[in-house]
Every structure is written in C-alpha cells, then in structure tokens.
Amino acid sequence: MELETLVYEKSDRIATMTLNRPDRGNALCRQMRDDMDLVMDDLDRDDDTRVLVVKSNGKNFCTGYDLTEWGYLWGSGEPSRPEDSRPHRRAPIFSRREFHESRERWMRLWRIRQATVGVVRGACVAGGLDLAGVLDIVFTADDAQFGQPEARTMGEIHTFGLWPVHLGMRKTKEWLFTGDSMTGTEAAELGLANRAVPAEEVLDVAMAYAERIAHVPLEMLYSHKEATNRWWDAMGIASAIAAANDADAMAIAGPAMADFKRFQDAHGVRAAVEDRDEPFSHHRTYWDAYQASRGRQGGREDEQHDDHLRTRADQGAAAQNGKG
C-alpha cells in the first residue's frame, strides 16, 4: 500500500500511522484524508492488529485543514481540483455537503474496531482537533497547544473536535468564544487528553499503553468501544456534530469571513491570520490577561507567555497551510 502523506507500519499487533507533512505543519490535505481512508480499509480487514497509534513527524501534530485546498469556499486562491472552480461550489449548501462528508469520514475512525491512541506534540489546532477528537485515547506533551483559533472568523471544524463530549458545555464555550489555546497540561486536566507528560516522554508513554492494549482480544476491544460510544449515540452525537457542519457553511458565507478574505487577498493568508489574532496576542488566555492587569504576572507566567508567542509564530507560519 503506497501512501503519499502518511507512514503506516505494523509490529506485534500494534499499527502506527504517522502524519508526514512536517514542512506543511501536517496540515490536512485531500490526499492525507484519502490515505487515512486506505489505512482504515486495511484495518477493517485486519483481525490481528489491536491498536492504532497516531503520531506525527515534525514539531507539530496537526495545524488544521490545508487552506490552499479549502480557500475556494470563500473565493480565495486557486482551487486544487477543476470541479472546485465552478461558481456553484461556493454556495453554502455545497459547502455544507463537503463538511458533512468530512464528518462522516472522521466518524469512521471513531468507530473502527481497533483502539486508537493519539500522540500530540506541538500544535494540535483547528482541524487537528477533528483528528484528535475522534481518537479513543490521547497522550500529550505538557507544552503542546490545543485550540480553535479559526473560531474567531472562520466558523466551525468538521466534528467540532467533539469538544462538548470531551470538555462539557461550559468549558467548550469558554475556550471556543475566544479561540484561545490551552496547554497540554490544561487539556489533560479538562478531559481533552488523558495524560500530559514531558514532550520527550510522550511517545514512550503512548507505546507503553498500546503494548498493554495489544494483549486484549480484538472482539473485547471492539465491544468496549461500541458499548461506550453507544451512550453518545443515544444522546444524539451525530445530529449534534451535523449542526456544526451546518453552522460552518453559514459562517464562512458571512461578513467576518468576507473581511478575512479581503485582507487575505491584499496581504496573504499568513498576514490575515496574524491580523485576526493580534487582539489576542498579548496574553495566551483571558485569565493571563486578568492576572497581568492585577500585577501578578511574572516568573513562570512570563515563561509560559514566551512559550506561547513562540508557538504562535510556528502556527503563523503553518497557517499558510492549515485552517488554524
């Protein structure tokens, strides 16, 4: 099986799928989604593999959807496929169709028989959260960055990152309303990840867990997944996620996205992202801003802010590639 954007390997009942577009921030392009479908096709036929570990090459896990392929939806850039140049493709109803199809592909990974374990380092933002969100287990570097900065102007991601499932209603709104990014440590504390460890240890921790899973029969793992996921099916997870797709199609047709497009056309996508994020750039979160206003910032908080600025610079460079 030849894959252009992933490295797929198997050993001792453990499969690994490595995102392999490090020069593009591991942004999700059409080819990567196609390659993921091929991996799932293989796992559907494989009764020996018990667990799929999802990791990445490079310093970022995934910086979002590749804007060079999705920009046609708001009339920016050159379409990557001939059919995307047709005027009707920018109609919200067709955007909605694209997003629903993307959601269904992600939910296939959610439902696959094998246990799925994510290994997050660096940025896991925007569309990267769609991938992390449908995995069963996520281990993260404590200094990783999770967030939906696209929420400031660019609508919703295709599964909403399953944030209401992982974070609950109030925390989802708290982070989504500002588009701020949380650290890996915060993600683990809030339920978006299972455990945060130093970056140099996260892959080893994930593999130690995967090796224990590998001793459990596949039918037991699949049973556990189905029994757990059914709770969320009963609560309407499919229709809830579909609402994000509908809202996204409408949001990118609105005035905020039109303003973003005008800036992007004049100055480029990286400058447009930096302009979008500038009002939020002085502090990582509202709480950091509040603490600074009270004269409490210093020491470790200064270090965290410096780390945040470095991460934002990395994400800004990757924003030319991902919806982040």
Side-chain angles (χ1 to χ4, degrees):
M1 180 168 53
E2 295 185 6
L3 304 174
E4 294 182 27
T5 64
L6 304 173
V7 178
Y8 182 50
E9 300 169 309
K10 294 181 183 178
S11 176
D12 297 328
R13 299 176 178 172
I14 299 173
T16 58
M17 181 178 77
T18 305
L19 279 59
N20 195 32
R21 300 183 77 208
D23 57 327
R24 309 285 287 183
N26 290 313
L28 296 162
C29 61
R30 297 185 190 279
Q31 185 61 54
M32 184 178 284
R33 300 298 303 278
D34 290 344
D35 287 348
M36 288 181 182
D37 287 344
L38 292 175
V39 168
M40 287 186 279
D41 289 344
D42 180 72
L43 290 172
D44 279 343
R45 297 186 297 265
D46 184 348
D47 294 337
D48 295 322
T49 296
R50 311 293 169 79
V51 55
L52 172 69
V53 176
V54 181
K55 58 190 184 73
S56 60
N57 282 332
K59 59 186 177 182
N60 291 313
F61 179 72
C62 180
T63 55
Y65 291 101
D66 194 325
L67 287 183
T68 63
E69 294 187 346
W70 289 95
Y72 78 91
L73 290 173
W74 51 88
S76 292
E78 293 295 325
S80 61
R81 303 179 302 181
E83 59 267 33
D84 292 336
S85 62
R86 301 168 188 164
H88 74 271
R89 286 281 179 162
R90 296 200 295 273
I93 192 64
F94 284 98
S95 302
R96 176 181 178 273
R97 179 174 178 269
E98 290 258 18
F99 302 153
H100 278 281
E101 289 177 347
S102 177
R103 177 202 72 207
E104 289 301 319
R105 296 171 82 177
W106 285 127
M107 295 310 288
R108 184 185 177 195
L109 183 55
W110 162 267
R111 300 186 190 286
I112 202 163
R113 298 174 302 163
Q114 289 82 2
T116 54
V117 178
V119 182
V120 174
R121 289 183 289 198
C124 177
V125 296
L129 290 166
D130 277 340
L131 172 55
V134 298
L135 300 178
D136 298 316
I137 305 293
V138 173
F139 295 102
T140 179
D142 52 14
D143 61 354
Q145 294 287 329
F146 294 77
Q148 296 197 42
E150 85 293 338
R152 293 166 179 163
T153 58
M154 303 175 74
E156 319 298 346
I157 53 178
H158 301 172
T159 70
F160 213 45
L162 273 67
W163 272 22
V165 172
H166 299 305
L167 297 180
M169 180 184 69
R170 292 193 186 279
K171 286 298 180 182
T172 294
K173 291 178 178 177
E174 178 183 346
W175 290 92
L176 196 63
F177 286 172
T178 63
D180 290 336
S181 291
M182 65 186 78
T183 65
T185 298
E186 289 168 330
E189 291 171 348
L190 294 171
L192 197 58
N194 294 81
R195 186 179 295 273
V197 299
E200 63 273 14
E201 298 179 21
V202 64
L203 178 58
D204 290 341
V205 171
M207 294 307 296
Y209 182 69
E211 287 166 4
R212 292 179 73 85
I213 296 175
H215 295 295
V216 179
L218 182 60
E219 66 270 21
M220 288 294 97
L221 293 170
Y222 188 36
S223 175
H224 300 334
K225 287 186 64 163
E226 283 290 288
T228 304
N229 290 351
R230 188 67 61 86
W231 285 74
W232 302 103
D233 290 338
M235 288 188 281
I237 188 174
S239 60
I241 298 172
N245 304 143
D246 296 342
D248 193 17
M250 291 184 284
I252 64 172
M257 194 66 225
D259 289 343
F260 182 90
K261 175 187 179 299
R262 280 192 290 271
F263 202 100
Q264 177 182 342
D265 289 345
H267 305 287
V269 64
R270 180 173 182 174
V273 169
E274 290 175 349
D275 179 73
R276 177 198 70 189
D277 294 341
E278 196 283 329
F280 305 90
S281 65
H282 304 289
H283 302 282
R284 182 173 63 85
T285 68
Y286 76 93
W287 187 248
D288 288 350
Y290 169 73
Q291 295 284 62
S293 73
R294 305 277 294 190
R296 296 172 181 167
Q297 186 169 1
R300 178 58 184 152
E301 290 187 5
D302 282 338
E303 294 174 12
Q304 290 176 334
H305 181 57
D306 290 343
D307 290 343
H308 173 58
L309 292 179
R310 284 191 289 272
T311 301
R312 284 192 67 254
D314 291 342
Q315 292 176 6
Q320 297 180 68
N321 315 311
K323 182 177 177 181

